[in-house]
Amino acid sequence: MWTIVLFDLPTDSIEMKRDYRYFRKFLLENGFTMMQYSVYIRHSSSEENAQVHINRVKIHLPADGEVRIIKITDKQFGRIEVFYGKKRQAIEKAPEQLSFF
C-alpha cells in the first residue's frame, strides 16, 4: 500500500514559508520520500498502517493551502509510467518485507 501526499501551499509571507518548511520536514522525518516537487510517497505494509500515517499527516496540516492524500495498492503503483522527456524510466521499488521463520 502506498500513501501519496500532494500539496500546494502558499509562500506569500514569512509565516507561510515557515509552515511550508515545517510540513515538508514533517513528511521527510516520517518516512515519506519526495516523488516530485510537492508530491511525497510512503510505502506501508498494510492499509491499517497506511491509515496511521494518514492520520499523522492530518494532525500536521498547515493552516493554509491544499493537501490531498491518496492511497493506492502496490499493483496500482506498479502501473505508473514515468518519463524524463521522451525516455521512460523505471518506478520506485517497494521496500522488501521482513520475513521471520
Side-chain angles (χ1 to χ4, degrees):
M1 176 74 51
W2 290 88
T3 303
I4 305 172
V5 177
L6 307 99
F7 58 92
D8 186 15
L9 303 179
T11 55
D12 299 331
S13 69
I14 293 172
E15 293 81 16
M16 289 176 173
K17 288 178 184 177
R18 184 194 66 229
D19 289 347
Y20 172 89
R21 288 190 308 270
Y22 173 79
F23 187 66
R24 183 180 180 280
K25 184 177 178 183
F26 163 78
L27 292 173
L28 292 170
E29 289 176 349
N30 283 273
F32 285 85
T33 304
M34 187 171 75
M35 185 176 190
Q36 289 183 223
Y37 292 117
S38 300
V39 179
Y40 287 72
I41 60 172
R42 185 182 202 291
H43 187 266
S44 298
S45 57
S46 66
E47 189 164 347
E48 293 80 15
N49 184 254
Q51 193 59 50
V52 167
H53 295 290
I54 289 169
N55 291 341
R56 287 182 187 160
V57 171
K58 289 178 181 179
I59 291 170
H60 291 87
L61 290 173
D64 293 310
E66 181 179 358
V67 177
R68 295 176 187 231
I69 302 172
I70 303 168
K71 287 188 301 187
I72 61 173
T73 65
D74 290 338
K75 187 173 183 178
Q76 291 167 325
F77 188 82
R79 292 180 181 160
I80 294 174
E81 294 186 51
V82 180
F83 297 90
Y84 292 97
K86 293 187 178 188
K87 185 177 179 184
R88 189 165 195 276
Q89 296 289 326
I91 62 168
E92 295 86 353
K93 299 290 183 199
E96 294 292 324
Q97 298 296 318
L98 294 176
S99 299
F100 294 102
F101 298 96

